[in-house]
Structure formats: C-alpha cells, structure tokens
Amino acid sequence: MRQITLFLALFGFSAGLFAQSVTVSGTVTEASTGESLPAVVVYVLSDGKPFSASTNPYGFYSLSVPAGKPAEVKVQLIGYADFSQKLGSLTSARKVDISLKESATQLQEVDVVSERLNTNITTTQMSVSALSAKEIKKVPQLLGETDIIRTLTLLPGVSTVGEGASGFNVRGGNADQNLILLDEAPVYNSSHLFGFFSIFNADAVKDVKLFKGGMPANYGGRLSSVLDVRQKEGNSQKFSGTGGIGLLSSRLLLEGPILKDKVNFMVAGRRSYFDLFFPYFNSPELDNTTIYFYDLNLKLNAKLSEKDRVFVSAYFGRDQFGASELFDFGWGNWTSTFRWNRLISPKWFFNATAVYSDYTYQLGTPKDADPAFIWDSRIENYVTNLGWTWYPNAAHTVDFGVQNTAYTFHPGAISGVFSLELQKEYATEPALYISDDWRITDLLTATYGLRYSTFFNVGGRDIQTYLNAANPKANEATGIQTYAPGEIIKSFTGLQGLEPRLALNYKVGAATALKGSYNRSRQYLHLISNNTTATPVNVWRPAGTFIEPATVDQVALGIAHNLQEGGIRLTAEAYYKTFQDLVDYKDGADLIFTEYIETELLRGDGRAYGAEFLVEKKTGDVTGWIGYTLSRTERLVNGATRDTRINNGQWYPANYDKLHDLTVVANWSISKAWEAGGNFAFQSGRPITYPDSRGEFEGMYFPVYTNRNGARTPASHRLDLSFTYTPQSKRAKKWGESSLAFGAYNVYARRNPYSIFFRADFSQPTNVQAYRLSIFGSVIPYFTYNFSF
C-alpha cells in the first residue's frame, strides 16, 4: 500500500491548480426502467469552459469544476431527449442525478443507438466493439435466435473457424485466449449445441463490450480479448416482461420493482424444444433421442442507502445430447456474482465483487444402460475483486485494485464399469492493477497503467519426473514427486508478471482522431485441444512444472473520422502481435484422459498482424456497417530435436488464419410497421493439413502428414435476410407490443466447407477420395413471434 500511495503521489496530479474547485457527481439512469447507463458523457459548462466525464459501468460520474462560478449540466445521448440543468454558482460539492427519457423522434432517426456519435473521437479506447442488445436483435441469425457471439463475428478482427464452430477468434488468438465475463464471472464455454448458438439470452443482456486491444489494466488472464457482458438490473419503475416463440426455442423475461426505487429483480428463461417433435417423425433412429439446451438468468439489486447498493446475479445453463442407449452427453455453466458499490465521497467510488463459476461436462452412456459408463470433468473458480476509482480533478481519473482467482481443476473421473480419476489440480492467481485516464491537453488524452499478476500451482498432487524436463517423454519417466495440500509446486512471481498498458488519443479537428495503444497480457491457463475448434470435452490445464504461462505483446495504430451530417463513422486500425510460450501438441498426440499431459505437448511462439477497416452508419432510416479485415496468423514450434518441431521448425499458419474477411450488415426502417435487415459475409479458406504421401503396413494403407496446415479449404460466403412486422393499431397495442420476425439464413444455399477429409474405398484401399463436410447445405427459413408488456 505504501508503494501504491507513493506511485499516486508521483503521478503529478497538479492538485494545487484545482484547489479552488468543487465536485459535481451523481448517477445517470434511464427514466422508464431505472437502469443505470454506462459510458455516458456528462458535460458541465462553467466559467465559459466545458468539463466532461464518462459514467463508469454502474452509471456513476464525478468531475471537478471551478468554485463560485455559474454552472450547467448537459447530456446529449443519441436515442434520448437532451438533458440540461442549471446549477447556479457552486460553492460546495453538488450531487446531480440524471434521468434520461427516450426520445420518440430520435428513436425513429437513429434506431436507439445509445451512444454519442463523437465518443470515439474523444476517448482513448481503440480496438473496442460495443453493441446494445437492441442492435444485436436486428441482425439476421440462424433460426431467428438472437446471438451475441455470432453478431460479434461480423465485426472486423473477430472470426470463427467455420459455421457451427464453438468459440471465436480475435486478432490471431485461439478461442481459449478470450476472457468471457458475465456480470464479472468467467465463462468457459459460451456456446450451445456445439457452437450453433451462444449462451447469452439477448433479452437479459444490458450491455456488450469486446476489447480486442488496448485492454484496461483491470482486465487480465487472457491474451487476445475481453468480452464483458452485463445483465439487466431489472425495471425499478414498473413490472414488465418480454418474450418470444420461435422454431427452435421460446424465452420469457420478467422484471420489476419489489420496493419501487429500492429493490428490483430480473428473471429470464429460455429453452429449446426441437427434440419434443422427434416422436412425430416416425423414425426409429430418433426414438429416445435427446437434444436440448436451457438458460436461466437471475438478478436482484437493492439500494441500501444513498451511498450503498448491492447486486446479486446468477446464470444457469445446460446442454443435453443423447441417443437412445448409445451415449449421453451434457455440459453447462453456473455462475453467481455478489457486488457491493459504495460511494465513499463525491471523489471516491468503491466496488467489491465475489464470484463463483463452475463449468462441468459429462460424457458416457445413459444411467440405465448396461454396462454404464460416465466421464465427469469440471473447472471451478472463486474470484474476489476490490476496486477503487478516484476522481482527483478534471484531468485525471484513477482506477486501482486487487484481484484474486482460486482454481480447482477436475480433469476427469470415470465411474460405472470401472472407476478411475485423474488428479485434481489447484492454483491461485493474485493480481494488482492501477491506471490513470489523463486529459493532458484539450487535444491529447492518455490512459496508462500497470498490472502485476502472479500465479501459484499448489498441491496436493503427484508430479512425474523425467530424464529431460525440457522434453518430457513417457518412456523416460524417472519417478514421482509428491506435494502436500497447499504446498507450492510451481510459482510465477518474477518481473515477467508486469503487464504495462498504454493508450493515446490525439484529436485532429472536431471530427478526427489519431490513436495508438500498447498492451502486454499474460495467460496462466491453457485449453488442451488438437481439434480444429474447441469442444465441450477439451480440458483446461494451468501453468506449472512443465507448462509455462503464455505472453502476448500487441501494438496498434488507428485513425477515427466522423461524417457528422450522415452520422457515419470511419475507422482504420493496424496491429502487430507477438506470442510467447504457446501450447501446441505433438503429431499424433493423445490428449483424452491423459494423466501426465506434458508428454504430449510442445511449446511454441506466434505472430499475428493485420489491418481492420470499419464504416458504420449510426443515424437515419438505414443503419449498419461494412467491415473488412486483412490479416495473417502464424505459429512456430522449433524445438531442439526433430520430435519437438512442427513443420520442420518453420512458420506455419494457425488453424484459424484467414487472409480476407468481409462483412456487410444493414438494417432498413421502411416504416413504423416494417423493418428489413440483411448481412453478407465472405471469408478466405482456413488452413488444413492434407496428406502428402501414404504408407502401407500388412496390406493396410494409411495417410502420412508432414506439412501442418499446408493447404486451405475453399472460401466461404453467405447471405442472410430478415423482416420484422410490428402492428401499429391501438387494438394490437392494448396489452403491450408484439412483432413477427421472419427471414432466411444462407439465402442462396451455399455449401460452405467446414473441413476436408480423406477416406479410402474399402474394396479398393488404394483408391482414396477427398470429401468436403458442410454444416449447412441449404437455405434455412425461420420465424419468431416477439412480445412485450
């Protein structure tokens, strides 16, 4: 704490220059629901000068203005009526809570895009994508299911390896390099139905923000991105509900006050039911087949006093997939979050968070099968975060805090015919962070900070020892070393844990800004997988004796320009990333239920570079964006011996490397009753490993692979369309509002390749054919009935 205090003192906040100042602070909320509004710019005009501050994730703002001068608070937010309040001459701190009313006129013009058009010019944030739930709902989706993850993949720098793939890739990062947070709780599998849909129910989501670079210092633990999803707080003004009935699933959300303006709740549920129709297909193959998913979102928040507020939220989600007596497969997430906000003073804000997160999966036979077999695996997290925000003056906003995550890994346990359990692993990850948002001049702004993370892999468990620890082999094991519970097996506490962060913004005129950022991030967890895409059965393993933490350094440069009259934003960014100590796997590695997994792994490096271009139209009857990414992602595994190299120690493309990625998203408000939407996506083919020769053993032929990812699948492209009809008659709106959404996914029935595989003719083993696997080979129509009351 003495070091932190000294560091703050050396920041040079020029407190003396602002001695004759007073503080204006408060919260910004939406009038109709009482929901707090984050990232809203609040202006105070005083002494002929504008002073501004943005609300934090909980809607709180604070800024210092000259004392003894008349002042006026103003907020201009697209989608809401302008707010203005004269304060008179300020002689002491003033609390001004702001309640914004939706503007019907602006809603028609800008389609409820809840952000000020010029915020991208004034903020240091770059490589950040922010979407509201209302924007996401307008994008055509598979079977009409509003999907946050799929919508994000339509933005520059975000992609997947193919249709139906689980997870997503950001700027050359693997799917496990994305930190996914739901109300600050980590989520380890963000997909339903093996990647066809995401776990996030858009009705229950308030705010979505994806950081691709320039990450704030309070985020850590992953290399490539942070996806921060916040649930709705619940309507504090009146009881209301929304829902929908579609071909795949139905959903319902209820929210309202328990004590008006004091305690309110939100509960949302969703379940798929396609499997309920299997008995009507008269197909023996579908008898006793189970395939469904469900979600349950809960949130309760209470205003204990003018200074204290608590939030309790939870998420429960599960997928189940089974086929008669053959197999039973299930996986799911459970998260719970407790948060306490306290306004210590007009210049100090405090937040404490406690989180429990549990990801589990099971694979086996049905319980009544003979013989029975069940494989269980899970990863548990216990997270505590303490964070403070200090507003010393109009030029600085300081964030600092302490965090810790405790992990319990259950790699696998088998029960049934026989019993077998892999050893549990335990670890803890403490971290400190501090950052300052410094308005250096009216034109130049900087956000700079430092994060320091450590990691401890602890017992009890047994560690196998080898002749060569740098290249462990199963046939060179020398013994077992036992560690007692709580004993440190391996610690990572050096200077390598320092993670500097820097972001700069320089205004070139009122509508143009130049931006730059640098960040280093460190990741102590690895998803052990040799699949093209992550699957629910892949195992997470922590850094330890044989697995090093991974590190990335990213530099990005960009320019942002706004065309004010048309409400158009133009953004261009270039980035370069270097990765160290990435985990890869040996050729022919067996990663399933392997106790000493280090014998199957290799260590490598990586690099990713590219340019991203985005044109957004935020206002008018037609809104949307055009995004294009030109990028490369490569890996290098060059060990000391031949068996520790991949591709002969040469650079090779990563599984998700795609040179070109183009998306076009458009929404057209035809009238008050009708809206149309469409999106087109084109992606270059992804790398794939083809056999370059074949071998023969006792009359059996097999392929030989030497050039990893040396070939590519054909390019993929797709067009989706949607239409929404909203009745406008008084009779139709008597009990609320409703709409009918219908459209089609993959309109021109493109058979996009997911993978290419090779198969020999059984009758003629020398005749080997290549086959293309496509997830969708036809147009998929949909309709959904939505309602609210």
Side-chain angles (χ1 to χ4, degrees), residues 89-222:
S89 297
L90 295 174
T91 58
S92 60
R94 181 76 62 88
K95 182 181 180 183
V96 181
D97 291 330
I98 300 170
S99 182
L100 299 181
K101 297 180 180 179
E102 287 186 316
S103 170
T105 302
Q106 288 189 1
L107 287 175
Q108 295 174 5
E109 293 177 353
V110 302
D111 213 14
V112 296
V113 181
S114 298
E115 58 184 341
R116 191 172 180 269
L117 186 63
N118 268 352
T119 53
N120 64 324
I121 302 300
T122 58
T123 181
T124 58
Q125 283 190 355
M126 68 177 300
S127 309
V128 177
S129 301
L131 292 172
S132 69
K134 294 176 182 178
E135 289 178 288
I136 295 170
K137 288 180 179 180
K138 295 183 179 297
V139 177
Q141 303 284 6
L142 175 64
L143 290 174
E145 288 292 314
T146 302
D147 196 310
I148 290 174
I149 301 296
R150 281 182 173 270
T151 303
L152 290 173
T153 61
L154 297 174
L155 294 169
V158 188
S159 63
T160 66
V161 297
E163 293 175 321
S166 178
F168 57 98
N169 308 101
V170 177
R171 287 186 172 178
N174 199 5
D176 69 325
Q177 296 172 8
N178 305 312
L179 177 61
I180 303 174
L181 300 173
L182 178 61
D183 276 351
E184 300 186 47
V187 173
Y188 286 87
N189 190 320
S190 60
S191 301
H192 281 310
L193 294 183
F194 301 99
F196 289 107
F197 308 100
S198 76
I199 67 168
F200 302 111
N201 182 350
D203 287 345
V205 169
K206 168 186 174 182
D207 181 61
V208 177
K209 187 172 287 188
L210 177 69
F211 296 87
K212 299 180 291 183
M215 297 177 192
N218 60 306
Y219 294 116
R222 297 294 188 276

Side-chain angles (χ1 to χ4, degrees), residues 433-451:
Y433 70 89
I434 185 168
S435 69
D436 176 31
D437 191 357
W438 181 15
R439 188 175 291 106
I440 303 171
T441 68
D442 290 339
L443 300 180
L444 179 62
T445 306
T447 299
Y448 59 102
L450 184 65
R451 180 182 181 86

Side-chain angles (χ1 to χ4, degrees), residues 125-449:
Q125 283 190 355
M126 68 177 300
S127 309
V128 177
S129 301
L131 292 172
S132 69
K134 294 176 182 178
E135 289 178 288
I136 295 170
K137 288 180 179 180
K138 295 183 179 297
V139 177
Q141 303 284 6
L142 175 64
L143 290 174
E145 288 292 314
T146 302
D147 196 310
I148 290 174
I149 301 296
R150 281 182 173 270
T151 303
L152 290 173
T153 61
L154 297 174
L155 294 169
V158 188
S159 63
T160 66
V161 297
E163 293 175 321
S166 178
F168 57 98
N169 308 101
V170 177
R171 287 186 172 178
N174 199 5
D176 69 325
Q177 296 172 8
N178 305 312
L179 177 61
I180 303 174
L181 300 173
L182 178 61
D183 276 351
E184 300 186 47
V187 173
Y188 286 87
N189 190 320
S190 60
S191 301
H192 281 310
L193 294 183
F194 301 99
F196 289 107
F197 308 100
S198 76
I199 67 168
F200 302 111
N201 182 350
D203 287 345
V205 169
K206 168 186 174 182
D207 181 61
V208 177
K209 187 172 287 188
L210 177 69
F211 296 87
K212 299 180 291 183
M215 297 177 192
N218 60 306
Y219 294 116
R222 297 294 188 276
L223 299 184
S224 292
S225 77
V226 177
L227 176 59
D228 194 349
V229 181
R230 304 280 175 142
Q231 295 188 114
K232 288 182 177 180
E233 297 169 2
N235 195 320
S236 64
Q237 303 300 306
K238 63 179 181 178
F239 178 79
S240 61
T242 59
I245 302 173
L247 291 176
L248 176 70
S249 69
S250 291
R251 64 190 192 279
L252 177 65
L253 176 143
L254 301 174
E255 58 181 337
I258 298 175
L259 296 174
K260 190 173 182 180
D261 292 324
K262 295 288 186 181
V263 182
N264 41 290
F265 76 96
M266 183 276 294
V267 57
R270 179 175 61 158
R271 192 199 189 277
S272 67
Y273 40 64
F274 191 70
D275 60 311
L276 301 180
F277 298 98
F278 286 170
Y280 300 99
F281 291 161
N282 293 322
S283 174
E285 292 81 5
L286 295 178
D287 289 345
N288 299 317
T289 297
T290 302
I291 178 169
Y292 67 87
F293 68 83
Y294 67 82
D295 297 305
L296 179 63
N297 300 77
L298 303 168
K299 196 162 188 177
L300 178 73
N301 75 85
K303 188 176 182 181
L304 303 182
S305 68
E306 290 298 318
K307 294 186 175 182
D308 297 278
R309 193 170 184 178
V310 296
F311 304 82
V312 179
S313 60
Y315 168 82
F316 304 89
R318 186 78 180 170
D319 281 72
Q320 205 66 39
F321 181 37
S324 187
E325 298 181 358
L326 299 178
F327 66 88
D328 194 20
F329 189 15
W331 68 93
N333 297 279
W334 168 27
T335 71
S336 55
T337 303
F338 174 83
R339 285 180 294 177
W340 170 39
N341 292 167
R342 179 167 177 79
L343 180 59
I344 301 173
S345 74
K347 289 181 177 289
W348 284 90
F349 184 89
F350 170 72
N351 176 71
T353 303
V355 168
Y356 174 73
S357 173
D358 183 12
Y359 171 63
T360 64
Y361 68 80
Q362 295 176 327
L363 175 64
T365 59
K367 294 181 180 179
D368 56 352
D370 186 19
F373 165 83
I374 298 177
W375 174 16
D376 287 286
S377 183
R378 70 193 304 184
I379 175 172
E380 296 178 279
N381 287 185
Y382 302 87
V383 183
T384 52
N385 294 330
L386 300 177
W388 291 263
T389 303
W390 178 33
Y391 305 88
N393 52 53
H396 294 271
T397 300
V398 182
D399 290 288
F400 62 95
V402 58
Q403 303 170 339
N404 184 68
T405 303
Y407 302 94
T408 302
F409 301 87
H410 306 255
I414 295 177
S415 59
V417 179
F418 61 92
S419 296
L420 179 64
E421 183 175 4
L422 300 182
Q423 296 181 88
K424 296 179 182 178
E425 293 190 66
Y426 305 90
T428 184
E429 182 181 347
L432 299 170
Y433 70 89
I434 185 168
S435 69
D436 176 31
D437 191 357
W438 181 15
R439 188 175 291 106
I440 303 171
T441 68
D442 290 339
L443 300 180
L444 179 62
T445 306
T447 299
Y448 59 102

Side-chain angles (χ1 to χ4, degrees), residues 499-531:
E499 303 175 29
R501 313 287 172 88
L502 174 66
L504 298 171
N505 186 86
Y506 183 76
K507 291 179 61 177
V508 185
T512 306
L514 301 177
K515 296 173 179 284
S517 69
Y518 165 77
N519 71 270
R520 166 171 283 195
S521 298
R522 198 159 167 85
Q523 180 167 332
Y524 299 94
L525 306 185
H526 301 275
L527 185 65
I528 308 302
S529 171
N530 56 2
N531 301 320

